[in-house]
Amino acid sequence: MHVTQGTFSYLPPLSDAQITAQVQYCLDQDWAVSIEFTDDPHPRNAYWDMWGLPMFDVKDSAGVMKEIQACRAAKPERYIRVNGYDSRYTRQTVGLSFIVQRPTNEPGFRLERQESNDRVIRYTLHSYATDKPEG
């Protein structure tokens, strides 16, 4: 199972040089960059944990890469993603978001079907990670 979220999710994992190029693109657009991590990449889990604060004043991709490496060292078995926030027009909009690290074992999801009245069929996603939570 390979979780497909974000801009480059269908591509092979990005190298550090490719990540640096994408981070520099965000900085060139005057987007604030932030780093987030989670162990539950469910598509509706929009609230990942933040690694520090968004880097509003950073103008060099080396500073962002240093924080990505620190997050990787502290959270080696988590999903880590980078977001570029476009603050033009007084709104915070994600201009670019991509995963820079995945755990070695991605548990994945299964589709559960539920039949209801009047032949209505509902589908939900169930994360395999919830079957055996940490601890």
Side-chain angles (χ1 to χ4, degrees):
M1 179 71 194
H2 184 79
V3 173
T4 52
Q5 288 186 37
T7 307
F8 307 111
S9 61
Y10 290 95
L11 297 175
L14 299 175
S15 67
D16 282 353
Q18 292 169 324
I19 294 169
T20 302
Q22 295 305 320
V23 167
Q24 191 59 51
Y25 173 80
C26 292
L27 298 174
D28 290 345
Q29 305 303 312
D30 290 327
W31 296 348
V33 176
S34 72
I35 301 168
E36 299 175 334
F37 63 93
T38 190
D39 61 348
D40 179 20
H42 190 281
R44 292 195 176 155
N45 178 15
Y47 300 107
W48 290 31
D49 295 314
M50 288 190 72
W51 179 261
L53 296 172
M55 296 172 247
F56 294 106
D57 297 333
V58 175
K59 299 298 178 199
D60 184 18
S61 60
V64 177
M65 290 304 295
K66 181 179 175 187
E67 290 299 318
I68 291 173
Q69 295 301 341
C71 186
R72 284 176 173 169
K75 310 289 182 185
E77 288 299 316
R78 297 281 193 267
Y79 292 90
I80 300 174
R81 75 177 173 197
V82 172
N83 298 314
Y85 291 102
D86 184 0
S87 62
R88 290 180 296 168
Y89 310 117
T90 65
R91 63 177 184 250
Q92 286 287 352
T93 305
V94 176
L96 182 64
S97 178
F98 57 98
I99 294 177
V100 297
Q101 176 178 292
R102 300 170 181 276
T104 53
N105 179 27
E106 292 188 74
F109 299 94
R110 74 171 171 261
L111 190 64
E112 292 182 344
R113 175 180 167 162
Q114 180 184 25
E115 297 183 22
S116 184
N117 56 347
D118 296 328
R119 295 183 167 181
V120 173
I121 299 174
R122 293 186 174 97
Y123 294 95
T124 59
L125 288 174
H126 176 79
S127 173
Y128 291 122
T130 59
D131 293 338
K132 294 181 182 178
E134 287 187 37

